Each structure stands twice: as C-alpha cells, then as structure tokens.
C-alpha cells in the first residue's frame, strides 16, 4: 500500500509534530502549514491527496483554506481536525466541503484509517458528527397534535433534506461508536455499501437547504 | 517674548501631535494668563500685536476687556505649557475679577445691553460645556453638530434638535419684538430663565460627565471581574491539574484521567452554554463525567434530542451509569461510547466498549451489578435491556425506555 500524501495545517507546531510522529510510516507528510496563506501556498506546491485541516486558524480559519484551495484544486480532499466539538464549527466546515470531521483526541490508527478513507473519496464521521447529523435531520413529529418534541420547528424539506431509513441506521451505529467494518457486520451489508451510505449522507449534509442547517447549528450552541 | 513653540519652556509633556491646531492659553510665557500669547501662537503673529489689538478694543466701549476676560475663562491653558507665572489661586482670582469686570463693562457701557448679557452668559455656558467635556465627548459633540446639518431631519435626533432650535429662534425673536413693551414681570422672568439656563449649562456637563464615567467604570469593572473569574478558574483547574500531572508522571493511567477531567472542565468553560439542569443530556453527561473520573476512562457522549428527566428517565440514567461503570471497571479499555437518542415513543441509550467483553451469566461477580442495577431497574419502568457482543470486539449494552406521555 503506497502511503498517502498528506499536508498538515495547524497553527500549533507542537500538535503538527505530534501528529507527524504518530502517523509515522503510515502516511507521507509532504508539507506543514501554520496559517491560511501558508497552507494555500503549501497545498498548491505539494499537491497532497489529503489535507488535515485545523478548524481554528489565526487568520480566517480552516474555512478560508477550504474555499481558497477548492476553487483551484478540487481534487484535494480535506479532513477536518479540531478540538472543538461545537456544532457550528463542525457543520460549517463540512458544508464548506470537508470530507469528514474528527476530534484531535482520535487515536493514530483511527486517524490513519480516516486519511485512507478520505483519500479514496469516502466520508469520515466521528460519533459526534453522526449525532449532529441525526439531530439536524430529525423529522418533525408526524402528528403535530402530539406536541411531544422539544424542537417542533425542525420541519425538513424533501429530497436533500431527507435521510433514508438505511442511512439513519448507519448514522445511529456510527454515533454508537461502531467502525465501518462493525456496521457492515451488524447490518449484513458490505463495507463498500456502508461507505456509500456515509458518502450520501455527507452529500446531503453539504447540499440540503442551507439556512436551516446553519441556523440549527447556531441554535444548538445555545442549547447544548 | 515671542511665543516660540518649541522652546525650553515645555513641561514634561511634549506637544500633542494634533492635526488641527487648538487655541490654548500660554500662562507660562504670557503676562496675564497668557491669552495674548496663546492667540499669537495660534495665529503665528507677534504677541505684541495681539496685545495692542486688545488694548485698542478696550477703548471701544470696553470690548477688549470683555473679550480678554471671556478668553481667559474659556480658553484652556496648553497641556504642554509649564506652570504659570502665578500660583493657581491667583489665576482663579484673576479669572473671577476678569469675569466680573467683563459683565460689568458690557452691562454698563454697551447701551441697550439687556440682551447682550444673557447672550454673553449663554456663550460662556456653551464654552464651559466644551471645556468640561472630555476628549471623546468632544468628538461626539462635533459629530452631532455635523450630522444635524448634514443629515438634517432624516434622523429622529436631527429632527428633534432642528425643532428645538427653531423654537428657540422663534422665541428669541418674539422676546426681542416685545421688548419695547417690557414690564418688570417679564424682566424678572427673563432673569430667572437666564439664571436657570446658566446653572444648567454650568453644572449639566459636570453631571453628564460623572454619569458617563460611572457607567464606563461599571462596564470596565464587569469586564475585569470576568477576566479575574476566568483567571481564577484557569488557575484553579489548569494549574492544579498540571501540578498533579507532574507529580503522577509515572502513572500513565492517572495522567490520562487528570487530562481528561481537565479537558472536560475547559470544554464546559469555553463551549459550555449549559443546558438547564434536569435535562437528559445534562444528566447523562454528568454521570459520564463521574465515571470518567472514577475509572480513568474517556467516554464519548453523543445525545440526539433531549427531554426533561422524569422518574422513568432517571432510572434510565442510573442504569446507564451502571453500564458505564461496568465497562470502566471490567472492559480494560480507554474509551467508552455512550449514545442516547430521544424519540417520540421511546428513549434509547447505548453503552459500547471495545473491551474484553462478558456474558451476563458467565460473570458471577457482576451478575448482581448487571442484573440488579441495570436490567431490574429498567424493566421495573417498562423498559428493556439488551446485552450483546459487537461483531469482532467489545460489548454493547442497550437500554430502551418508553416515554411517558404528558
């Protein structure tokens, strides 16, 4: 297996060194950057497969990097890596085009797996992100008169704003801490199918009626 | 005696780098309060010329004296000027004398000066406001006066001020018109109004300044209070934890426990807009936090939806806590996943670990724990518990409880 070409973007040099040491042989770290401008330059020069992107950067954040790079090199994939698990951060970076979101407490093995998965064009969901998606796509109660829901305004539009039952099942297992392999075994489907479901969910997350998700994320910060 | 700008007379303060030169008195180089010297400096002419102009004007019905007095009162002394020739109290006495003389001269020598005195007083009052106002307020006042003419009646404030100004102008015109026929009563009224206005003008800015300073001070105090609170929190938790970590450096498990606890505290501090207590998510997080501390594990808590905790959910939280304890104690793992979802009909909680696993019936020691505190508790409230092995590795305890209809 050829190792993946990766660029690390994080403003803490110590964290970059830590990730580089942890990932060791498993990926090929071809560049590092500590700011938005640096990141755009390094990514442009080194052409990595995957960028490990910190959400919080001093001069504009990971969002700025994503927007600058995706316009020029859409083939570069991003995996967001952050200490924050605030919904607004997570949702914003995914909607800007990141293929996944993991917290910095992730183990080295899991991170290396995640890099592989993102490089192959699949999505990476941390349990937290899966929980956010389930929460954001929660249907309004089918019988409004019941009035049992704590968030009755969560009425979602069809198409992109609807998860299939299978996708919902996959997300639930992700939120419960299952790995893709375990989900495949649990649902008697192939890992490839699990990956397809996850990618579809990611696409829906990125394309569904925008204002609603963003508002949900902002609201959640007040509630959570 | 020419007013030199950059001579050795400067005080410790260097001339401020103002873009628009301001008129100041120069009591340090002038003769009597430094009015003439200041004006000369401002206009770049000789001090003597200004003095002669004042003396000349003094013969024009005492106007020079009046003007000099007004300048002496109104114009501030330069901040970069050194100390005056006279002690402060002498200056004050001089200023008082000048004020008295000004009023007396204008009142006696200018014929039909009935209106002149109030006008002069009003001007002095306005100037006093200007002087008493501190720097940012001055900018604000300037801004006001600019916007009132520029934006005109477009803003509410502008309209109000325009209306007030018009009313005053009209009132003034009426007063002037009826002056030919004034009576003692009107005279008295006028004097009273003038006095009141004068008092308001003189003391008003002072009150205003005190009020704005008070509120500024209050908000500054709140800010520094917040900073102090944060610093105290950081000190209490972070520094203490670092000290503990250093002391326990030989025990990785203890270090991990300390770090995790600290991470939790900081998260609450930074991202924590707290849920009102008594909500399921809050209770589950609290239970997870306790278990994390007691058993040195990290628990990933994900909660979808939320609900107030009633008796049934309280049992669910307690059972979940037992499941977490069970995993923390026996699974020999560093991470446990806790997922809870609130649906319309039911609430489900999943506790999953990748540990060595156990069979409910095999582990005699745990039979009581799992059976009594998890299964029994949940079933009493109409729920179900399912303990299963996850394909490959680990165990998952699944707790489902019906939601009571309110």
């Amino acid at each position: 297996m050829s190792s993946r070409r990766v660029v690390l973007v994080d403003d803490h040099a110590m964290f970059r060194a830590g990730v580089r040491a942890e990932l060791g042989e498993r990926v090929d770290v071809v560049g590092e950057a500590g700011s938005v401008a640096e990141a755009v330059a390094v990514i442009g020069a080194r052409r990595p497969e995957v960028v490990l992107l910190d959400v919080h950067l001093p001069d504009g954040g990971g969002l700025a990097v994503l927007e600058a790079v995706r316009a020029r090199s859409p083939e570069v994939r991003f995996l967001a890596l952050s200490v924050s698990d605030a919904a607004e951060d997570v949702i914003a970076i995914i909607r800007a085009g990141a293929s996944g979101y993991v917290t910095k407490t992730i183990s080295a093995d899991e991170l290396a797996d995640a890099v592989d998965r993102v490089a192959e064009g699949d999505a990476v969901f941390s349990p937290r992100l899966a929980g956010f998606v389930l929460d954001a796509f929660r249907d309004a109660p089918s019988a409004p008169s019941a009035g049992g829901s704590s968030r009755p305004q969560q009425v979602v539009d069809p198409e992109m704003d609807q998860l299939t039952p299978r996708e919902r099942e996959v997300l639930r297992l992700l939120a419960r801490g299952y790995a893709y392999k375990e989900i495949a075994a649990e649902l008697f489907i192939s890992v490839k199918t699990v990956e397809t479901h996850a990618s579809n969910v990611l696409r829906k997350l990125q394309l569904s009626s925008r204002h609603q998700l963003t508002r949900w994320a902002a609201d959640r910060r007040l509630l959570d | 005696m020419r007013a030199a700008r950059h001579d050795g007379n400067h005080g410790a303060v260097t001339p401020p780098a103002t873009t628009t030169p301001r008129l100041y008195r120069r009591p340090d180089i002038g003769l009597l309060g430094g009015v003439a010297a200041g004006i000369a400096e401002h206009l770049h002419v000789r001090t003597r010329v200004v003095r002669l102009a004042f003396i000349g004007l003094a013969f024009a019905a005492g106007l020079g004296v009046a003007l000099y007095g007004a300048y002496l009162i109104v114009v501030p002394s330069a901040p970069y000027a050194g100390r005056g020739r006279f002690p402060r109290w002498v200056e004050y006495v001089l200023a008082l004398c000048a004020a008295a003389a000004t009023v007396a001269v204008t009142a006696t020598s200018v014929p039909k000066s009935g209106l002149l005195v109030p006008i002069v007083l009003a001007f002095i009052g306005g100037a006093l406001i200007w002087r008493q106002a501190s720097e940012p307020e001055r900018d604000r006042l300037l801004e006001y006066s600019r916007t009132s003419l520029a934006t005109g009646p477009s803003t509410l404030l502008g309209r109000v001020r325009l209306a007030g100004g018009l009313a005053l102008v009209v009132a003034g015109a009426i007063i002037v018109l009826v002056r030919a026929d004034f009576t003692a009563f009107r005279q008295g009224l006028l004097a009273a109004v003038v006095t009141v206005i004068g008092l308001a003008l003189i003391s008003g800015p002072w009150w205003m300044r005190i009020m704005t300073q008070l509120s500024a001070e209050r908000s500054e105090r709140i800010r520094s209070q917040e900073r102090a609170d944060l610093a105290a929190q950081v000190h209490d938790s972070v520094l203490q934890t670092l000290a503990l970590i250093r002391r326990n450096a030989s025990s990785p498990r203890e270090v991990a426990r300390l770090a995790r606890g600290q991470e939790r505290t900081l998260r609450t501090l930074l991202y924590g807009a707290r849920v009102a207590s008594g909500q399921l998510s809050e209770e589950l997080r609290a239970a997870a936090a306790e278990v994390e501390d007691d058993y040195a594990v990290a628990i990933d808590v994900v909660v979808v939806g939320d609900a107030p905790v009633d008796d049934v959910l309280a049992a669910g939280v307690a059972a979940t806590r037992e499941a977490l304890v069970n995993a923390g104690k026996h699974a020999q793992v560093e991470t446990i996943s806790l997922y809870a979802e609130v649906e319309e009909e039911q609430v489900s909680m999943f506790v999953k670990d990748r540990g060595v696993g156990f069979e409910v019936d095999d582990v005699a020691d745990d039979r009581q724990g799992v059976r009594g505190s998890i299964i029994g508790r949940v079933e009493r409230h109409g729920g179900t518990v399912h303990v299963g092995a996850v394909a490959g590795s680990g165990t998952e305890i699944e707790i489902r409880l019906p939601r009571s209809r309110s």
Side-chain angles (χ1 to χ4, degrees), chain B residues 66 131 149 158 181 193 227 293 299 319 347 377:
Chain B
R131 267 197 76 177
L149 281 178
D181 182 29
V193 167
R227 270 199 297 274
D293 276 349
I299 300 177
V347 176
R377 192 177 259 153

Side-chain angles (χ1 to χ4, degrees), chain B residues 12-356:
Chain B
V13 191
T14 49
T18 45
T19 44
T20 53
R22 295 248 298 263
L23 178 58
Y24 288 118
R25 284 190 294 118
R26 294 296 303 269
D28 50 340
I29 54 174
L31 278 180
L32 193 68
V35 171
I39 294 175
E41 186 186 278
H42 190 69
L43 299 175
H44 301 289
V45 293
R46 293 188 165 213
T47 316
R48 207 178 303 146
V49 175
V50 182
R51 287 205 181 110
L52 281 175
F54 270 117
I55 292 168
L57 280 172
F59 289 108
L63 191 58
V65 180
L67 268 179
Y68 199 93
Y71 273 122
L72 188 60
I73 297 168
V74 165
V75 178
S77 64
Y80 50 90
R83 291 194 61 107
R85 299 170 166 243
F86 311 108
R88 278 247 132 194
W89 66 271
V90 176
E91 275 198 31
Y92 280 124
V93 170
L94 276 176
L96 269 179
C97 291
T102 308
V103 174
V105 165
T106 45
T108 55
S109 65
V110 180
K112 307 241 181 208
S113 63
L115 268 181
L116 191 67
V117 174
I119 288 171
V120 167
L121 280 177
F123 269 114
I124 292 176
L128 275 174
I129 296 179
W130 195 246
R131 267 197 76 177
Q132 277 184 296
S134 52
E135 197 64 51
E137 273 170 3
R138 248 175 248 184
D139 291 343
R140 216 180 57 210
L141 289 175
L142 265 180
E143 186 65 26
Y144 276 159
S145 59
R146 252 184 242 123
T147 51
S148 83
L149 281 178
T151 63
S154 65
T155 66
L156 181 66
L157 194 67
R159 253 175 280 150
V160 169
R161 225 154 353 115
L162 211 60
L166 277 175
L168 281 179
V169 168
V170 170
I174 290 172
I175 289 177
V176 170
L177 282 178
V178 299
R179 264 195 77 76
D181 182 29
F182 66 90
T183 61
F185 169 71
R186 274 208 206 93
Q187 187 82 314
L189 195 68
L190 196 65
V193 167
V194 165
T195 313
V196 168
I197 291 177
L199 277 178
L201 282 176
I202 290 165
S203 65
W206 182 71
W207 284 110
M208 235 166 72
R209 195 167 56 181
I210 285 207
M211 295 309 281
T212 49
Q213 271 175 1
L214 264 183
S215 74
E217 246 167 53
R218 195 163 45 226
S219 57
E220 177 55 35
R221 207 166 47 235
I222 290 170
R223 265 200 298 279
S224 62
Q225 179 77 35
E226 271 169 4
R227 270 199 297 274
D229 280 354
L230 192 67
Q233 289 230 37
V234 167
H235 171 265
D236 280 359
S237 56
V238 177
L239 289 186
Q240 304 268 26
T241 306
L242 286 177
L244 282 173
I245 283 178
R246 207 163 57 177
R247 214 180 291 166
N248 291 293
S250 53
S251 157
R253 203 172 158 81
E254 186 63 11
V255 168
R257 188 179 73 81
L258 288 166
R260 178 68 184 166
Q262 186 54 57
E263 183 193 338
R264 212 172 46 229
T265 315
L266 277 182
R267 267 185 202 291
T268 334
L269 200 66
L270 294 176
Y271 309 117
R274 304 278 292 179
V275 183
S277 61
Q279 290 293 102
L280 181 70
S281 61
E282 173 75 7
E283 298 284 315
L284 283 176
R285 273 180 235 281
E290 281 172 35
V291 177
E292 276 188 345
D293 276 349
D294 291 348
Y295 297 96
V297 288
I299 300 177
D300 256 345
V301 185
V302 177
V303 182
V304 171
D306 214 341
V309 173
D310 52 16
D311 284 352
V312 177
L313 288 189
V317 171
T320 306
R321 190 180 187 286
E322 283 307 313
L324 289 170
V325 167
N326 190 60
K329 239 198 276 189
H330 301 292
Q332 295 164 21
V333 286
E334 283 164 8
T335 314
I336 303 170
S337 302
L338 165 59
Y339 172 70
E341 182 171 357
V342 180
E343 287 161 287
E344 237 188 297
E345 305 289 330
Q346 65 170 1
V347 176
S348 343
M349 281 154 285
F350 300 86
V351 175
K352 178 178 172 296
D353 64 70
R354 293 227 165 82
V356 292

Side-chain angles (χ1 to χ4, degrees), chain A residues 36-56:
Chain A
V36 173
E38 221 183 312
V40 173
V42 169
I43 294 166
R46 310 310 302 266
R47 302 258 147 215
E49 289 169 88
V50 177
V51 176
L52 286 180
L53 183 63
D54 188 9
V55 174
H56 295 283

Side-chain angles (χ1 to χ4, degrees), chain A residues 177-193:
Chain A
Y178 281 62
Y180 281 24
K181 218 170 24 187
E182 294 165 348
I183 295 173
E186 180 81 16
L187 298 180
F188 304 106
I189 53 180
S190 73
V191 174
K192 196 70 225 157
T193 314

Side-chain angles (χ1 to χ4, degrees), chain A residues 130-138 168 171-172 175, chain B residues 304 339 341:
Chain A
F132 283 155
V133 180
L134 280 171
D135 214 350
F137 280 85
R138 241 147 70 94
R168 210 173 280 274
L171 277 176
R172 268 198 194 109
Chain B
V304 171
Y339 172 70
E341 182 171 357

